[in-house]
Amino acid sequence: MSASGFTTRLVALTRKETRQMLRDRSNLVVGLLLPVVLILLFGYGLSFDVKDARVTVVLEDSSPTARNIVAGLHGSPYLAPTWETSMAEAERMIRAGETDAILRVPGEFSARLAAGEGGLQLLLNGVDSTTASVIEGYVDGALSVPMQQQADRAGNKPAGAASVTIIRRIWFNETGESTWFLVPGLIVLVMTLIGAFLTSLLVAREWERGTLESLFVTPVRPLELVLSKLAPYIVIGGIDLILCLLAAKYLFLVPMRGSLWIIVVSSLLYLLVSLGLGLFISAITRNQFAASQMALLASFLPAMMLSGFVFDLRNTPVVIQVISQLLPATHFMGLIKTLFMAGDYWPDILRNCSILAFYAIVLIALTRRSLAKRLD
Amino acid sequence: MSDGGATITATGLRKTFAGPDGHAIAAIDDISLTVHPGKLTALVGPDGAGKTTLIRMIAGLLKPDAGSLCVLGIDVAADPQAVQDRISYMPQRFGLYEDLSVQENLDLYADLHGVPQKERKERFARMLEMTDMARFTERPAGKLSGGMKQKLGLACTLVRSPDLLLLDEPSVGVDPLSRRDLWKIVQQLVDDEKLSVIVSTAYMDEAERCAQVFVMNRGRLLAEGPPGDLKKQAAGLTFTATPPEGMPARELQARLIDAPDLIIDAVPRGGSVRFIRRPEADEARFFELLHDALVEARPEEIEDAFMMMLRRQERQDRKTPAEPAAASVAAKRRDNPDKPVIVVRDLVRKFGDFTAVASTSFDVAPGEIFGLLGPNGAGKTTTFRMLCGLLPATSGHLEVAGLNLRNARAEARGRIGYVSQKFALYGNLSVRENLEFFGGAYGLRGKALRTRIAASLERFDLDPAMQSGLLPAGYKQRLAMATGLLHEPDILFLDEPTSGIDPLARRAFWHTITSLAGDGVTIIITTHFMEEAEYCDRIAIQDAGEMLALGTPRAVRKEAGDEGMDMNNAFIAIVEQGRAARNRKPSAA
Amino acid sequence: MAGPVTYIAQVLSLIRKEMLALVKDPANRTLLFMPAIMQALLFGYGATYDLTHAPYAVLDQSRGAASTELLARLDGTGVFERVATLTSSGQIAAMIDSGEALLVIALPADFEARLAAGREAPLQLILDGRNSSTAGLASAYVGAVVAAYNGTRGVSTPVTIERRAWFNPNLESRWNMMPALIAALSMMQTLLLAALSVAREREQGTFDQLLVTPLTPLQILIGKALPSMLVGIFQSTLIFLIILFWFQIPLNGSVWLLYLGLAMFTLASVGIGLSISAVSLTMQQAMLYTFMLIMPLMLLSGLLTPVRNMPEALQVATFVNPLRFGVDLVRRVYLEGATFGDVAFNFVPLLAVAAVTLPLAAWLFRNRLA
């Protein structure tokens, strides 16, 4: 068949796919509304930044010294201290989830302090370990100034004498905002979900409804089927990408230090991988239920949990690191975070983009093969 | 039109599939055949004969395990795409995109086949005219009736003139009018364009139209030849028996079919019974059997030859030929035979501004077989769903066993059985598991349930361990019936139970139905096989939601114009009269 | 015929059918337990906020005993691993950009001299902030090591803070994450199974067949809800066992209370699933609407980030999210050993969700499509 035959058929099939996509509202709900919901949730709803942590102070020693030290808590913008006289009551509160931490000043505190070893007790609810660590840090910080003053008064060596101090410089995300790394990660998630939720049903549906059998016995080539199913969803993905970028820039003020065009190109490359994976799953399962489950398990959940989105891969065992290196999402996740926060770092760009391109080509080729026009 | 040589040559063709138990099952077992160009060729055979597998191999969708298959001079196994570029194929369930409109479906296939724009205009106009769908081009395909979908499928297949047209059971579930239209289109193309067509079918009258017929059974070729040659084997054995006044034809038919050593086959038609006599039948016993009937010889048809071939096979394969005889035709009538079990008065159902059922009234007496006939989209299924309580009526009165099932207490539903249009049992459960579930749902349990299941398995000759989704169509139907009857309902609703089933299985099905009616079960049935209307006590013909005729088959035939005409023609006549009257009405107003 | 025995027998036959349909297909069978096990293991190892491995690079321009000792202490933690020794500050950017090192420690040439002179000796810590939580943790670790080092040099404050973390003494994030997964992972499949159960029967035409039987909507509801619940609780049990025996996180609370909570939580999830099912015309719609719902339910559950960190409005919205109360309940019973009285409040929203969605679904069975 001539090249014009190819174009005519591709256009016809693409038109068909587009119409089908537009006519079922649930496609648009997942393709366009869900990303918006996710953008808002990630930008506003999810935060690792603890505010107003509830610290219950049990002051069993009411000496001015003790009061003075504990007063430091009020200086912290992150802590909301309350006062309680009975330790039993405070313990009840932590059990009932009414407070996050207890700072206990024992009765003999002032006396022991005079002897040079005043001890405070910090009791944390360790169920939420991250929050607990953060609160511990805040309490430490809030108490450090009055404690230092206490030390000075006690006549220890002058502060800073012959000690190592740290000058911290956190690159890329100076203030440690969690939205800065959540929002670029969101682009990965959104690109993944279109492939996992929308294209994974496309071929399976045609198998189930028997429409492929009629389509097979026409001059249509398998590659045309694959390309026509990708096209409308690339447009949807493109719209979502624009939404994400706009939200990142204007809503969440995430810096975009890399070039916009590289961000766009690499995102589209990953979109292709994600759509290809969805189609491939769809083509081999031939069943909508199995396809959706597979897509969820093989593409979406790993992208969310194992790509380095929130959990840092450096902290995982080797097996998990190997698995995560096999996921295209991991490579795109690393790349997009670098592009947003660090800038154009070419070795990374070239390496990750070639990995993504490789996946895209392999997946599309596999899908094409599994659509070989055969029923057996 | 092409190559001059044969359209298809197959030698030693074989195709096996892995069966449910892991063993290979030969769907096509050593078939050799030649199909000549420019002709209509039919593939006939019972369910599971391998017709669909053969057609799919010709279309390059399945690869033969052995043998060679040449289509249009191309080795289809080696280069399926080259074949697919030149043929058109309509699978059993044509893959219309239900969310696309009629026009969009046509455009898609025209683009895929590369039909040039200028040819397209003329072709579409012709297709739409032939299928009578010009008015519906904007309607989504999913909203069309079954017959219209099938015609649209054919139109999509025929957007261009192929070198070979493959049709796999194109008329399953299609009403007589649409069926006639479909064949008119195909015939026209064969006449005008010398199109080569291969069609598989369960309708013997369709096979009769073809130039060449291949009879298949269990993957093998039983016979081949022009219909005229094939039917010769029935010569001299075909008769018509007219029952004495007052005896329904189906009673005589039941008597005949229960004598398999004398009679090969018998069906009621046009108030009499057409039957095939066994050549070796004992003369004395033969006349004894037909003592009260008026017997006349009739010309043999291909259906006769087909039934003879199948019955012969069946005798070879099975020890017990038919099902246990329904001896209890002696009626166990209800206490009050005059009180109708179903009362319908001025029933109306509207969907938006579309009236699916318009002011319909009828009664059904206990133990009656009541046939609801009509073209696709006439409102039969809607009426059915309202009777079963699945759909509320817009207005009118409705009573089944004295109750409206929509509001009645759940137990009232225990008195009815329902067999829906498409196979609606759990395909991944076994036969026994399906029966156990529905038995349990109807409140049967323990010994009562086991006894009923054992009886059903025997009555319908079902293998309890088979996965029900993998059963051949005829057996699926039996299972559906077994399920509907498990709780011994008083009323049985059957929605197109015989669509897509071969003639042999249909005979067995009606045998069961008539014996149930004999036992006093009321039966409401819809069908597209008009000759089956002859089994009914009374029939109603619906079109566009309106009731056109109601009465005994004989009365309806009379109303159509001639008592002696067959039901198919009577039906077409009545529907066309009705449509003509409806078209006149608005213009008069 | 409608005695109570018959009534129950009818429901049981429906439950049996649903279970059979689920387990007959080998692919389905695998889907019932494999994903749960795999995810529990993968997430158990992968979903951690703890810093266990921090590659770092050193630019040591002082090369003295003090810097050597400090770096030895760093290496001694087992967390920090030196991946490179730099020779000029120009190399720092490449180390961080490529992600090879999470942090770079730069000791100036006068480091040793300043310490010897009894003055402050600043060291520079450069962190990769692309993951802000990791950066924060690493920074705190370095701070602790440096403080300990200062301590040995006789610089210390008289006030010490003794930390004790209840329920999770080492503050391991796995302890926080895993019990939550007992609820979260099983919810996904429970919801999907329930959502597909009626939609699939509708698509395959078997639902009509079911509606013409004498089964009442309530019976159909029970027959549809129980199998999904059983599957959900079965999966929860798998994850529970993995956590208890594989990851060896000690169970502090009562198993009965844990299961009572899970049962309530699963009931609410199934109610949502069946409601989706009842409004969906096709399986495709049922699946897409389920996915649409699962994402926000997960994100707003407190699974990844605490509910208390969310804006007020969203915190209110989480009251209709059964997962929020499921996660909270399981965590508290499992880790804190909470009693029924402690978590009684969690049952209220769960019951409320079930009480709305289940009757709604039952009503929709018969009246949808009418």
Side-chain angles (χ1 to χ4, degrees):
Chain A
M1 280 271 150
S2 64
S4 81
F6 172 81
T7 323
T8 319
R9 292 191 300 261
L10 188 58
V11 170
L13 285 170
T14 308
R15 196 184 300 134
K16 170 214 128 198
E17 293 294 339
T18 313
R19 282 182 173 138
Q20 287 191 297
M21 179 184 77
L22 294 176
R23 278 178 201 172
D24 190 335
R25 199 158 302 143
S26 59
N27 281 320
L28 297 183
V29 166
V30 168
L32 296 176
L33 185 61
L34 184 56
V36 171
V37 170
L38 288 181
I39 289 172
L40 296 177
L41 279 183
F42 273 87
Y44 294 116
L46 290 192
S47 169
F48 295 104
D49 312 332
V50 181
K51 300 162 298 187
D52 300 330
R54 298 164 303 180
V55 178
T56 302
V57 182
V58 180
L59 204 58
E60 292 170 353
D61 174 357
S62 52
S63 69
T65 325
R67 282 178 184 282
N68 194 22
I69 286 187
V70 172
L73 293 179
H74 287 290
S76 165
Y78 307 110
L79 299 173
T82 55
W83 303 81
E84 196 56 60
T85 47
S86 136
M87 187 63 192
E89 170 61 11
E91 286 187 5
R92 188 201 62 77
M93 283 172 72
I94 207 167
R95 258 182 236 284
E98 289 166 22
T99 187
D100 300 314
I102 302 173
L103 183 68
R104 181 183 183 193
V105 186
E108 66 278 23
F109 175 73
S110 322
R112 303 191 69 160
L113 183 64
E117 44 188 38
L120 298 175
Q121 249 183 25
L122 181 64
L123 250 163
L124 296 158
N125 183 336
V127 169
D128 185 350
S129 52
T130 319
T131 304
S133 305
V134 172
I135 292 177
E136 188 186 357
Y138 288 159
V139 171
D140 268 349
L143 296 184
S144 66
V145 178
M147 284 183 345
Q148 195 58 59
Q149 288 168 351
Q150 193 58 42
D152 295 348
R153 223 171 293 155
N156 279 21
K157 287 185 192 169
S163 67
V164 181
T165 56
I166 301 174
I167 303 169
R168 282 189 184 80
R169 292 222 323 259
I170 302 184
W171 281 13
F172 314 134
N173 186 355
E174 292 72 9
T175 51
E177 301 261 357
S178 52
T179 41
W180 283 25
F181 79 92
L182 287 179
V183 170
L186 180 62
I187 295 180
V188 184
L189 226 52
V190 168
M191 301 287 119
T192 310
L193 79 88
I194 296 171
F197 294 166
L198 294 183
T199 53
S200 70
L201 299 176
L202 283 182
V203 187
R205 185 166 62 216
E206 294 221 27
W207 274 116
E208 276 184 8
R209 297 191 183 163
T211 45
L212 270 187
E213 190 173 346
S214 322
L215 220 50
F216 277 174
V217 187
T218 65
V220 162
R221 304 298 193 269
L223 184 65
E224 296 159 7
L225 285 175
V226 179
L227 295 181
S228 68
K229 286 186 186 297
L230 291 176
Y233 295 91
I234 291 179
V235 175
I236 293 279
I239 295 172
D240 289 337
L241 180 62
I242 294 171
L243 288 176
C244 287
L245 292 177
L246 288 176
K249 195 163 171 63
Y250 296 106
L251 218 50
F252 306 122
L253 310 173
V254 178
M256 219 180 277
R257 293 179 178 133
S259 329
L260 183 63
W261 73 270
I262 301 179
I263 293 181
V264 171
V265 166
S266 59
S267 302
L268 291 179
L269 209 49
Y270 177 70
L271 178 64
L272 218 51
V273 175
S274 157
L275 297 180
L277 184 60
L279 272 188
F280 178 60
I281 290 173
S282 195
I284 54 167
T285 52
R286 300 187 178 187
N287 163 324
Q288 293 188 73
F289 178 65
S292 68
Q293 292 266 313
M294 281 264 288
L296 196 63
L297 294 172
S299 129
F300 189 72
L301 284 175
M304 188 156 162
M305 306 291 272
L306 299 179
S307 67
F309 176 39
V310 270
F311 306 109
D312 202 315
L313 290 172
R314 278 180 287 237
N315 303 324
T316 60
V318 181
V319 189
I320 303 284
Q321 292 193 22
V322 170
I323 294 173
S324 71
Q325 284 304 313
L326 292 176
L327 299 174
T330 309
H331 299 281
F332 181 52
M333 185 69 75
L335 181 60
I336 196 90
K337 281 187 182 170
T338 302
L339 284 173
F340 262 87
M341 290 189 275
D344 297 343
Y345 179 68
W346 280 101
D348 236 23
I349 295 170
L350 292 178
R351 192 176 63 94
N352 288 322
C353 281
S354 17
I355 293 173
L356 291 180
F358 169 78
Y359 270 110
I361 292 167
V362 168
L363 283 168
I364 288 170
L366 283 175
T367 313
R368 199 200 76 96
R369 254 187 56 159
S370 58
L371 276 175
K373 299 157 87 176
R374 289 228 174 272
L375 298 174
D376 51 353
Chain B
M1 65 190 298
S2 59
D3 316 30
T7 306
I8 295 172
T9 29
T11 31
L13 211 54
R14 202 178 147 78
K15 177 78 194 171
T16 53
F17 292 107
D21 51 354
H23 288 288
I25 296 172
I28 294 291
D29 195 359
D30 191 22
I31 282 192
S32 302
L33 51 77
T34 307
V35 174
H36 299 288
K39 281 189 194 160
L40 254 168
T41 306
L43 292 178
V44 299
D47 302 321
K51 303 182 298 262
T52 299
T53 309
L54 182 59
I55 289 186
R56 283 178 169 170
M57 281 201 281
I58 296 170
L61 292 171
L62 293 174
K63 214 179 187 129
D65 293 331
S68 72
L69 178 60
C70 249
V71 179
L72 302 169
I74 303 161
D75 179 1
V76 65
D79 190 1
Q81 187 64 62
V83 173
Q84 286 161 0
D85 285 348
R86 293 174 56 193
I87 66 170
S88 285
Y89 164 56
M90 180 167 156
Q92 228 172 69
R93 222 173 98 222
F94 187 83
L96 289 171
Y97 291 98
E98 305 219 326
D99 34 12
L100 299 188
S101 73
V102 169
Q103 187 65 52
E104 286 163 352
N105 270 294
L106 282 170
D107 284 337
L108 173 67
Y109 279 92
D111 284 335
L112 294 183
H113 283 291
V115 182
Q117 287 296 338
K118 43 186 194 299
E119 275 174 47
R120 205 177 281 197
K121 209 170 159 211
E122 183 267 338
R123 190 88 188 173
F124 282 178
R126 188 160 157 220
M127 281 296 143
L128 289 171
E129 195 232 282
M130 285 201 298
T131 52
D132 192 25
M133 281 203 300
R135 290 164 294 156
F136 302 124
T137 49
E138 294 309 312
R139 192 180 284 189
K143 293 247 163 78
L144 297 175
S145 69
M148 300 249 278
K149 276 184 193 159
Q150 211 64 10
K151 283 195 275 184
L152 176 57
L154 186 63
C156 286
T157 317
L158 291 172
V159 285
R160 56 122 188 221
S161 245
D163 294 343
L164 168 65
L165 174 63
L166 302 173
L167 304 170
D168 193 3
E169 305 223 13
S171 38
V172 165
V174 174
D175 67 71
L177 280 117
S178 304
R179 204 153 68 87
R180 193 189 58 181
D181 295 346
L182 255 156
W183 275 93
K184 214 192 278 170
I185 301 169
V186 174
Q187 194 69 54
Q188 231 173 21
L189 290 169
V190 173
D191 295 346
D192 299 356
E193 302 179 6
K194 287 275 159 282
L195 195 64
S196 312
V197 182
I198 298 178
V199 57
S200 74
T201 180
Y203 288 87
M204 290 307 131
D205 59 332
E206 295 181 349
E208 194 112 39
R209 295 162 176 263
C210 297
Q212 181 83 358
V213 176
F214 292 96
V215 183
M216 294 175 67
N217 193 23
R218 297 180 188 197
R220 290 174 171 275
L221 213 52
L222 280 189
E224 64 178 293
D229 292 358
L230 286 178
K231 64 187 176 194
K232 276 199 189 105
Q233 59 177 296
L237 301 173
T238 51
F239 301 91
T240 307
T242 310
E245 198 67 36
M247 181 198 273
R250 71 161 199 257
E251 218 160 286
L252 179 63
Q253 184 259 349
R255 193 203 303 167
L256 295 185
I257 206 140
D258 283 337
D261 52 339
L262 299 174
I263 305 289
I264 297 174
D265 184 45
V267 274
R269 186 157 312 163
S272 344
V273 177
R274 299 151 57 101
F275 70 93
I276 314 169
R277 189 197 143 158
R278 217 167 261 297
E280 72 276 13
D282 178 69
E283 287 290 321
R285 286 185 53 217
F286 179 67
F287 285 112
E288 159 71 23
L289 184 71
L290 287 155
H291 65 277
D292 54 352
L294 174 64
V295 178
E296 287 165 302
R298 62 177 172 92
E300 67 276 8
E301 287 171 18
I302 191 153
E303 175 156 10
D304 299 312
F306 181 65
M307 288 311 296
M308 284 178 72
M309 284 185 256
L310 291 185
R311 292 278 190 215
R312 205 179 300 138
Q313 274 268 309
E314 192 185 47
R315 281 207 147 191
Q316 283 166 12
D317 301 341
R318 245 187 279 172
K319 335 119 217 125
T320 44
E323 314 169 20
S328 58
V329 178
K332 177 195 98 185
R333 295 284 176 192
R334 298 277 135 179
D335 333 320
N336 193 351
D338 300 328
K339 192 169 178 290
V341 280
I342 294 178
V343 180
V344 174
R345 291 280 172 275
D346 303 320
L347 191 66
V348 176
R349 174 69 214 194
K350 291 181 176 169
F351 294 102
D353 52 2
F354 167 70
T355 308
V357 174
S359 188
T360 295
S361 306
F362 60 86
D363 292 341
V364 183
E368 193 175 18
I369 303 181
F370 187 83
L372 206 51
L373 312 181
N376 299 111
K380 302 185 305 287
T381 301
T382 309
T383 309
F384 242 69
R385 291 173 58 84
M386 284 191 283
L387 286 173
C388 296
L390 290 170
L391 198 68
T394 307
S395 68
H397 177 74
L398 185 74
E399 222 174 81
V400 175
L403 297 159
N404 182 342
L405 288 179
R406 184 122 186 114
N407 322 318
R409 288 168 57 84
E411 299 90 80
R413 288 198 294 273
R415 294 185 58 190
I416 65 158
Y418 173 68
V419 177
S420 71
Q421 207 172 84
K422 70 177 198 194
F423 178 72
L425 301 175
Y426 300 97
N428 57 352
L429 298 188
S430 73
V431 168
R432 180 183 295 281
E433 286 158 351
N434 263 302
L435 289 172
E436 280 173 350
F437 165 60
F438 280 102
Y442 279 102
L444 292 169
R445 63 194 141 85
K447 190 152 180 287
L449 179 61
R450 282 196 297 276
T451 319
R452 287 298 303 154
I453 289 178
S456 297
L457 289 174
E458 190 179 330
R459 175 174 206 169
F460 291 98
D461 185 28
L462 288 163
D463 174 1
M466 276 289 281
Q467 188 183 334
S468 38
L470 299 176
L471 291 170
Y475 278 84
K476 274 186 183 163
Q477 196 48 55
R478 291 186 195 187
L479 175 58
M481 282 286 287
T483 313
L485 286 170
L486 201 59
H487 56 294
E488 302 181 288
D490 301 338
I491 307 163
L492 186 58
F493 289 91
L494 302 158
D495 196 3
E496 289 188 29
T498 47
S499 281
I501 302 190
D502 65 68
L504 211 58
R506 277 183 2 233
R507 300 283 199 282
F509 169 82
W510 277 103
H511 193 255
T512 310
I513 291 299
T514 46
S515 78
L516 281 171
D519 288 346
V521 178
T522 311
I523 286 154
I524 323 289
I525 186 165
T526 69
T527 178
H528 285 314
F529 291 91
M530 288 306 134
E531 67 269 24
E532 292 183 352
E534 302 282 357
Y535 288 102
C536 300
D537 291 308
R538 284 191 308 143
I539 55 174
I541 296 180
Q542 259 184 326
D543 186 32
E546 291 189 41
M547 193 75 96
L548 297 180
L550 175 66
T552 62
R554 185 190 298 257
V556 169
R557 282 196 306 272
K558 205 181 230 166
E559 196 182 323
D562 176 12
E563 205 183 309
M565 83 201 299
D566 78 15
M567 205 61 214
N568 210 35
N569 291 328
F571 173 84
I572 293 177
I574 285 178
V575 172
E576 285 185 335
Q577 284 163 20
R579 287 185 181 173
R582 218 175 325 131
N583 289 341
R584 267 198 310 279
K585 243 187 277 166
S587 57
Chain C
M1 67 187 210
V5 181
T6 307
Y7 190 90
I8 293 167
Q10 284 175 322
V11 175
L12 282 180
S13 68
L14 182 55
I15 293 176
R16 182 161 171 268
K17 180 223 90 177
E18 295 282 328
M19 296 303 287
L20 273 176
L22 265 179
V23 300
K24 279 218 98 168
D25 186 354
N28 262 353
R29 264 201 307 267
T30 320
L31 276 176
L32 287 185
F33 64 91
M34 272 312 282
I37 293 178
M38 273 179 50
Q39 290 178 76
L41 289 174
L42 282 179
F43 297 160
Y45 286 115
T48 169
Y49 291 114
D50 305 334
L51 187 70
T52 56
H53 177 69
Y56 76 99
V58 179
L59 175 63
D60 184 1
Q61 286 165 326
S62 86
R63 290 172 211 273
S67 65
T68 314
E69 199 203 329
L70 186 62
L71 292 174
R73 282 177 165 269
L74 213 53
D75 292 333
T77 57
V79 170
F80 294 93
E81 186 203 348
R82 194 192 303 194
V83 289
T85 308
L86 308 180
T87 51
S88 82
S89 57
Q91 295 168 313
I92 296 176
M95 285 314 288
I96 299 279
D97 282 348
S98 66
E100 211 176 311
L102 173 66
L103 55 140
V104 174
I105 294 172
L107 300 152
D110 60 354
F111 183 75
E112 190 82 27
R114 288 178 75 109
L115 272 182
R119 285 161 54 209
E120 251 180 54
L123 69 77
Q124 243 191 53
L125 183 60
I126 296 139
L127 291 145
D128 178 354
R130 273 172 286 195
N131 187 325
S132 60
S133 5
T134 310
L137 280 171
S139 160
Y141 266 56
V142 174
V145 170
V146 167
Y149 173 73
N150 284 341
T152 62
R153 298 181 58 88
V155 185
S156 66
T157 55
V159 185
T160 55
I161 299 177
E162 173 209 350
R163 181 198 80 180
R164 267 201 296 145
W166 278 9
F167 318 126
N168 182 3
N170 300 320
L171 288 182
E172 281 183 61
S173 64
R174 181 186 290 156
W175 285 35
N176 175 41
M177 183 61 69
M178 294 301 286
L181 290 182
I182 296 178
L185 286 187
S186 69
M187 181 194 196
M188 263 188 308
Q189 274 204 329
T190 319
L191 207 60
L192 199 58
L193 274 181
L196 289 176
S197 68
V198 179
R200 184 193 288 132
E201 292 218 27
R202 270 225 175 94
E203 199 167 295
Q204 296 177 349
T206 50
F207 203 60
D208 278 355
Q209 200 74 49
L210 206 59
L211 286 180
V212 296
T213 65
L215 294 171
T216 63
L218 179 64
Q219 284 174 313
I220 296 178
L221 181 73
I222 301 173
K224 287 274 168 198
L226 270 180
S228 299
M229 283 184 66
L230 285 177
V231 169
I233 291 178
F234 167 71
Q235 296 197 344
S236 293
T237 305
L238 284 177
I239 303 165
F240 172 59
L241 293 175
I242 289 176
I243 296 174
L244 193 61
F245 294 111
W246 183 268
F247 290 108
Q248 304 201 332
I249 301 175
L251 169 72
N252 284 324
S254 132
V255 178
W256 298 113
L257 181 58
L258 188 71
Y259 272 84
L260 181 69
L262 280 176
M264 268 305 116
F265 162 69
T266 317
L267 185 70
S269 311
V270 166
I272 294 179
L274 285 178
S275 297
I276 295 178
S277 202
V279 296
S280 302
L281 287 174
T282 60
M283 288 168 71
Q284 186 203 357
Q285 284 182 359
M287 278 185 270
L288 290 183
Y289 289 138
T290 308
F291 292 147
M292 177 74 202
L293 216 59
I294 279 184
M295 290 295 305
L297 289 185
M298 289 273 177
L299 295 176
L300 294 179
S301 67
L303 176 70
L304 293 173
T305 62
V307 175
R308 275 185 21 87
N309 294 1
M310 295 170 193
E312 285 294 324
L314 280 178
Q315 289 194 36
V316 173
T318 60
F319 270 82
V320 294
N321 181 0
L323 189 58
R324 178 200 159 165
F325 296 97
V327 162
D328 185 64
L329 195 145
V330 173
R331 267 183 186 156
R332 292 182 57 194
V333 172
Y334 195 110
L335 294 172
E336 296 182 13
T339 59
F340 182 76
D342 294 331
V343 290
F345 173 73
N346 289 39
F347 285 91
V348 178
L350 290 180
L351 277 172
V353 168
V356 171
T357 53
L358 289 170
L360 178 73
W363 184 80
L364 284 168
F365 286 160
R366 210 157 248 290
N367 292 284
R368 169 78 185 172
L369 266 186

